[in-house]
């Protein structure tokens, strides 16, 4: 009975590996076809394939850059900004940042000025892996010292230090940086409250970048010109890696 169960488990695992491999190959073939169409300047056809891959989260930074190029060529500036910002989050390419700034200036889009907190958040996210590595090494060192130390006073001090390091590690991994999003609807109403019956603060087009501060049902609280306003969740495309 155990032998039969083992065979079934191995067969299931093998089938799962096979299906995953086939799906990966299919995605690679689709991406290669889309890239080929892009090089032939068949942008509409290539974008359809890119969109399918993007929906399946099978994208690369280069693909995001091509999608932004196509959308800008079609004057879909909100989508172009979305893909450009995603590309920058993956690469931190200075050329892309300059392109974002130029496009924002040319289309009169707001939310692209970087505050000190924005720069700090970017640096934290960009080099956070170094902080993670350092804290992990320090935690391992303190653990080793705890195992070899016999003096009670020393152990107490090491426990305190270890607790501080672990607390810093948790804060580092879950630091609540405010998330950004791109306004994607051509006509978006900014409201004073999370309700369709609230007063309209402003009517804006797509492409603006905003900071999100929370969510109530289908409404998201965002920052707009120094104020906190509400917008429907469907009007935003969050910028997440």
């Amino acid at each position: 009975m155990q032998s039969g169960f083992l065979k079934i488990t191995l067969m299931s695992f093998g089938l799962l590996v096979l299906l995953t491999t086939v799906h990966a190959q299919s995605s690679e073939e689709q991406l290669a076809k889309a890239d080929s169409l892009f090089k032939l300047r068949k942008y509409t056809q290539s974008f359809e394939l890119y969109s399918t891959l993007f929906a399946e989260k099978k994208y690369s930074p280069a693909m995001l850059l091509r999608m932004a190029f196509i959308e800008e060529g079609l004057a879909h500036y909100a989508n172009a900004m979305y893909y450009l910002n995603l590309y920058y989050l993956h690469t931190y390419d200075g050329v892309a940042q300059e392109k974002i700034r130029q496009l924002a200036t040319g289309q009169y889009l707001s939310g692209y000025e970087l505050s000190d907190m924005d720069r700090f958040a970017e640096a934290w996210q960009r080099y956070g892996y170094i902080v993670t590595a350092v804290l992990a090494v320090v935690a391992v060192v303190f653990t080793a010292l705890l195992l070899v130390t016999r003096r009670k006073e020393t152990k107490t001090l090491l426990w305190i230090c270890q607790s501080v390091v672990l607390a810093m590690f948790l804060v580092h991994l879950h630091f609540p940086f405010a998330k950004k999003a791109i306004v994607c609807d051509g006509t978006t109403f900014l409201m004073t409250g999370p309700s369709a019956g609230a007063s309209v603060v402003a009517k804006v087009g797509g492409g603006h970048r905003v900071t999100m501060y929370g969510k109530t049902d289908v409404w998201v609280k965002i920052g707009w010109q120094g104020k906190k306003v509400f917008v429907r969740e469907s009007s935003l495309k969050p910028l997440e890696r």
Side-chain angles (χ1 to χ4, degrees):
M1 184 174 178
Q2 290 181 347
S3 177
F5 177 76
L6 180 60
K7 288 181 179 179
I8 293 173
T9 302
L10 291 174
M11 289 176 62
S12 300
F13 180 75
L15 180 61
L16 179 62
V17 171
L18 178 62
L19 291 174
T20 302
T21 303
V22 170
H23 183 69
Q25 290 176 343
S26 176
S27 297
E28 290 175 1
E29 291 172 359
Q30 197 172 17
L31 179 58
K33 182 179 179 181
D35 288 343
S36 177
L37 289 169
F38 182 87
K39 290 177 182 178
L40 294 173
R41 298 186 179 183
K42 296 182 178 180
Y43 299 131
T44 303
Q45 297 94 318
S46 65
F47 191 82
E48 290 176 359
L49 294 175
Y50 286 145
S51 296
T52 300
L53 291 168
F54 183 81
E56 297 174 354
K57 299 187 183 300
K58 304 287 185 181
Y59 58 85
S60 65
M63 191 184 97
L64 293 173
L65 197 58
R66 292 188 179 115
M67 294 178 79
F69 173 84
I70 295 171
E71 291 287 43
E72 183 184 1
L74 295 171
H76 299 163
Y77 298 113
N79 289 335
M81 278 300 209
Y82 175 63
Y83 294 122
L84 270 175
N85 275 270
L86 282 182
Y87 171 78
Y88 180 74
L89 286 177
H90 281 82
T91 63
Y92 296 107
D93 184 350
V95 176
Q97 188 178 45
E98 178 61 20
K99 174 63 178 178
I100 289 171
R101 188 192 65 79
Q102 290 177 357
L103 195 55
T105 302
Q107 298 302 316
Y108 304 100
L109 301 174
S110 64
Y112 293 93
E113 306 81 6
L114 293 178
S115 65
D116 291 338
M117 179 55 72
D118 290 331
R119 292 188 178 89
F120 173 72
E122 180 180 308
W124 188 286
Q125 292 164 352
R126 186 172 182 176
Y127 302 108
Y129 69 94
I130 298 177
V131 179
T132 300
V134 170
L135 290 176
V137 170
V138 173
V140 170
V141 170
F142 279 133
T143 300
L145 290 174
L146 280 167
L147 292 175
V148 300
T149 300
R150 295 289 181 266
R151 292 182 58 186
K152 185 177 180 180
E153 297 81 1
T154 305
K155 273 186 173 292
T156 300
L157 179 60
L158 287 172
W159 272 117
I160 293 173
C161 293
Q162 180 74 307
S163 299
V164 171
V165 170
L166 292 176
M168 291 173 62
F169 194 79
L170 289 174
V171 170
H172 167 63
L173 292 178
H174 303 286
F175 196 86
F177 287 115
K179 294 182 179 180
K180 303 284 186 176
I182 301 296
V183 178
C184 56
D185 283 350
T187 301
T188 300
F189 293 95
L190 309 182
M191 317 296 288
T192 56
S195 168
S199 301
V200 177
V201 175
K203 182 175 71 172
V204 301
H208 300 286
R209 188 169 66 183
V210 296
T211 302
M212 300 186 293
Y213 293 103
K215 179 183 171 185
T216 302
D217 295 327
V218 299
W219 298 90
V220 179
K221 182 189 287 188
I222 65 171
W224 180 259
Q225 297 181 351
K227 300 178 182 178
K228 298 295 191 299
V229 298
F230 291 84
V231 63
R232 286 190 179 275
E233 184 180 17
S234 58
S235 297
L236 299 175
K237 285 186 176 181
L239 293 170
E240 298 175 337
R241 295 181 63 177

